[in-house]
Amino acid sequence: MTDNKHEAVSAHEAVYFIFGATGDLARRKLFPALYSLYREGKLGERFAIVGLARRPRTNEQFRDDVKASIEEFCRYKPKESEGWNAFVEHFTYQSLDTGNVEAFKQLKSHTEQLEAAYDIPGNRLFYLALAPELFGSVSRNLREGGMLESAGWHRLVIEKPFGYDYPSAERLNEEIRHVFREDEVFRIDHYLGKEMVQNIEVIRLSNAFFEPLWNNNHIANVQITLAETVGVEERGAYYNKSGALRDMVQNHMLQMLTMIAMEPPSRLDPEDIRDEKVKVLRSVRVMETAETISENIVRGQYSEGVSKGKELKGYRQEDSVDPASGTETFFAARLFVDNFRWAGVPFYVRTGKRLPVKSTEIVIEFKNVPNNVLFARKQDLQPNLLVIRVNPMEGIYIKFNAKKPGNDMTVQPVSMEFCQSCQVGLNTPEAYERLIFDAARGDHTYFTRWDELAVAWKLIDPIAAAWRQDPEGLQFYPAGSWGPEKSDALLDREGYFWWPVNGQEEDNVVWVTASK
Ligand code: BG6
């Protein structure tokens, strides 16, 4: 049944509870992830999956939903010859009112039956694909309903947004911690489950030609771009309260920054790694005054525009969005990590909706060789770049200078590329597969610890507060463009510019093409 038998390390035998089982996340990500894990032998056979949501559904209807979701979103297709029927039998459904403790008591007896049937030793993983307002009451009712009384482990997996600001995140954390210990809580940031984000550590720490240069003596600046072509789609109501700052920066962008900037941990132990990440966040310069914030941060909102010949609505015209909304759909900033390794190196980060391409990339721009010696005396040399392509193209790209063939000593930039996504037959696991597997194994490395979150919010809150006082600071950009011009000015004043990302056309030349 397993396609990759050599990889088949089984997660612990457990019952997986999917709260919010009729929702979008379950359909698009969680069911497909569970099936992929099963196909690769990582779930074994001693497991059960219980779908929970308010709406009534029979087991058969639920299994049909699961099949439809896997057909549409999974990298493996449901095949009887690959044990589909055996897999889907592990799924049952219970309609559950999360506020009613009696329903949890019924869930307990259902769970005990499943544990007896599959010989599962009481391990229970609760995945809350729910609105965060419900995290506290669900945790409480799990305890009151006796769901935490089994012999095995109990783990809580929760999705962002984890709070709206530091005080609300702290309250939420307290509610959860009344029931679960920190080591039982797995806070998901799906960017940490991405192959190339996990690869950052390996690229840095296993190559003699990167780590020695990984500091302010050699690196001129770091650029992190997370560009999306989508707008807010059907998520207007959620997004309008969150904006790019809370939806992307507080979590995904800061997590990528920490992976780039952290010190090598003393051991590859989850807590040692997370300790190093917290240290980076503590070193990020807090921007507090309105002047510093407006000097270093740009916020924008898309207005009507055209992309690839298609007319696009402005953000304020999107469904469930206030027509006078001041929510930002674009964020760019110049950040500093004030420690010995990074002092003086700007970290430019930007993210936005309705940009021209979907691309997440990290560019490390190295300092130039001295200007007035040898080849640099005769011509302007381009800086060396290391580009980590995170999404959707995965790979690594290095740009350096070499001689142009011919009699003149002309120097030209050339590139070497490792295109991971181009490898034939490669079927890279999705972020959610890795993260569910890690949670089931009890590995916290790629989950955010409370102290990380707390520091991240403390960086974000003063920015949000300054913006509230300055509604005029919101800049508009046409959908399908690269955001407000002020975002280029952030780099321009230091003589830098945003390096084009994969797929971006510059002067009618595709700068970096995806090799196939
Ligand atoms: C989510 C955000 O966390 O990440 C979305 O809520 C965003 O707004 C998404 O679209 C981007 O993830 P990915 O993996 O598609 O880059």
Side-chain angles (χ1 to χ4, degrees):
M1 182 215 35
T2 59
D3 287 354
N4 293 320
K5 290 201 178 63
H6 58 285
E7 278 191 28
V9 185
S10 231
H12 283 290
E13 297 83 11
V15 184
Y16 298 77
F17 299 87
I18 312 286
F19 287 78
T22 52
D24 218 40
L25 183 76
R27 197 168 67 87
R28 284 172 184 273
K29 301 289 182 192
L30 308 184
F31 302 147
L34 288 163
Y35 187 50
S36 299
L37 290 174
Y38 182 73
R39 284 283 294 267
E40 296 187 353
K42 290 178 179 154
L43 280 187
E45 292 295 336
R46 289 165 63 194
F47 70 95
I49 296 165
V50 183
L52 299 156
R54 190 182 273 267
R55 99 170 60 133
R57 224 89 193 104
T58 63
N59 285 345
E60 283 60 43
Q61 285 171 326
F62 180 52
R63 288 171 185 170
D64 289 345
D65 296 344
V66 170
K67 186 170 190 190
S69 110
I70 288 170
E71 267 163 354
E72 188 172 355
F73 297 110
C74 188
R75 61 195 179 91
Y76 291 107
K77 296 300 154 212
K79 278 197 205 148
E80 187 28 41
S81 58
E82 303 288 351
W84 169 258
N85 285 342
F87 169 72
V88 83
E89 270 172 21
H90 292 256
F91 282 76
T92 54
Y93 183 84
Q94 291 259 293
S95 152
L96 177 112
D97 169 359
T98 53
N100 176 4
V101 72
E102 290 309 314
F104 285 77
K105 291 183 182 158
Q106 284 165 21
L107 182 60
K108 181 180 180 208
S109 65
H110 177 61
T111 307
E112 285 165 355
Q113 284 167 18
L114 292 170
E115 287 170 344
Y118 290 107
D119 191 18
I120 298 169
N123 297 325
R124 298 177 181 174
L125 185 144
F126 307 104
Y127 197 119
L128 307 196
L130 295 173
E133 299 82 77
L134 299 174
F135 293 171
S137 60
V138 170
S139 303
R140 240 181 353 265
N141 282 339
L142 283 170
R143 187 184 52 202
E144 307 300 311
M147 287 294 291
L148 307 182
E149 286 161 16
S150 60
W153 49 252
H154 306 112
R155 295 185 184 139
L156 185 75
V157 181
I158 45 184
E159 279 286 333
K160 73 167 232 292
F162 198 88
Y164 176 79
D165 50 15
Y166 176 70
S168 59
E170 193 184 30
R171 269 196 307 278
L172 186 56
N173 196 48
E174 273 167 18
E175 284 185 274
I176 291 169
R177 292 293 308 282
H178 273 133
V179 180
F180 292 94
R181 298 188 311 262
E182 175 67 28
D183 67 320
E184 294 176 317
V185 181
F186 293 74
R187 300 180 194 82
I188 291 227
D189 181 317
H190 80 281
Y191 259 73
L192 288 178
K194 288 195 189 277
E195 183 59 46
M196 291 308 293
V197 173
Q198 298 192 354
N199 206 346
I200 294 172
E201 269 180 290
V202 181
I203 296 168
R204 276 187 58 184
L205 305 179
S206 66
N207 289 302
F209 52 69
F210 291 134
E211 190 51 31
L213 304 182
W214 213 258
N215 55 52
N216 54 6
N217 291 328
H218 301 283
I219 292 179
N221 70 77
V222 176
Q223 302 181 12
I224 305 177
T225 296
L226 200 171
E228 295 189 280
T229 48
V230 289
V232 291
E233 318 299 299
E234 65 290 349
R235 298 163 74 223
Y238 150 76
Y239 194 88
N240 207 42
K241 284 199 218 122
S242 113
L245 183 66
R246 296 180 176 84
D247 187 49
M248 301 295 251
V249 181
Q250 186 269 346
N251 36 65
H252 310 326
M253 301 298 283
L254 286 179
Q255 285 296 333
M256 284 193 280
L257 185 146
T258 58
M259 296 296 279
I260 292 289
M262 70 185 221
E263 292 298 315
S266 51
R267 292 171 305 168
L268 283 180
D269 175 89
E271 298 317 320
D272 290 291
I273 294 173
R274 299 201 295 179
D275 286 347
E276 294 306 334
K277 288 171 62 198
V278 181
K279 285 192 211 157
V280 174
L281 289 171
R282 291 204 185 112
S283 309
V284 174
R285 191 179 303 165
V286 185
M287 291 191 229
E288 274 170 326
T289 65
E291 294 71 45
T292 334
I293 289 171
S294 105
E295 205 180 300
N296 291 292
I297 301 180
V298 178
R299 74 195 210 268
Q301 185 189 84
Y302 62 84
S303 47
E304 292 98 356
V306 179
S307 179
K308 301 198 172 93
K310 201 173 143 207
E311 289 189 9
L312 300 169
K313 285 191 227 174
Y315 175 71
R316 290 176 175 183
Q317 286 84 52
E318 300 277 13
D319 289 346
S320 317
V321 168
D322 173 1
S325 170
T327 298
E328 75 292 349
T329 59
F330 178 93
F331 174 98
R334 175 171 166 268
L335 303 176
F336 285 97
V337 179
D338 288 332
N339 61 19
F340 273 90
R341 187 186 283 266
W342 294 110
V345 178
F347 282 71
Y348 300 110
V349 300
R350 65 175 166 170
T351 181
K353 303 254 181 226
R354 285 279 186 246
L355 302 188
V357 294
K358 162 95 179 150
S359 192
T360 301
E361 289 195 3
I362 302 170
V363 179
I364 316 291
E365 177 175 334
F366 289 88
K367 288 189 174 167
N368 272 327
V369 294
N371 241 341
N372 54 354
V373 294
L374 299 177
F375 301 107
R377 188 177 290 156
K378 294 192 186 155
Q379 51 196 295
D380 284 341
L381 297 183
Q382 298 253 348
N384 293 156
L385 302 183
L386 164 68
V387 180
I388 301 173
R389 294 195 168 140
V390 175
N391 192 27
M393 181 64 75
E394 291 178 354
I396 304 161
Y397 164 88
I398 300 173
K399 198 170 105 180
F400 56 101
N401 294 310
K403 181 180 165 299
K404 189 172 184 178
N407 293 340
D408 305 330
M409 264 301 172
T410 311
V411 179
Q412 65 175 0
V414 296
S415 65
M416 277 200 308
E417 182 176 7
F418 163 60
C419 175
Q420 180 150 286
S421 351
C422 308
Q423 291 179 69
V424 181
L426 186 82
N427 196 359
T428 321
E430 286 268 339
Y432 277 91
E433 290 171 47
R434 257 185 273 267
L435 295 174
I436 293 175
F437 187 56
D438 283 353
R441 290 189 298 176
D443 183 340
H444 280 93
T445 310
Y446 296 111
F447 294 87
T448 28
R449 210 167 57 187
W450 163 243
D451 51 353
E452 272 178 81
L453 262 172
V455 193
W457 277 121
K458 287 180 182 171
L459 291 169
I460 294 300
D461 284 356
I463 301 173
W467 287 357
R468 280 194 293 277
Q469 303 305 318
D470 175 30
E472 300 304 312
L474 180 71
Q475 318 230 318
F476 293 89
Y477 61 99
S481 72
W482 276 102
E485 280 171 14
K486 214 177 144 200
S487 137
D488 295 329
L490 275 183
L491 287 75
D492 195 35
R493 61 176 105 114
E494 266 138 347
Y496 302 130
F497 55 87
W498 291 108
W499 288 98
V501 295
N502 185 49
Q504 181 178 353
E505 294 191 21
E506 283 283 294
D507 302 331
N508 298 324
V509 177
V510 178
W511 179 259
V512 177
T513 47
S515 38
K516 281 263 159 22

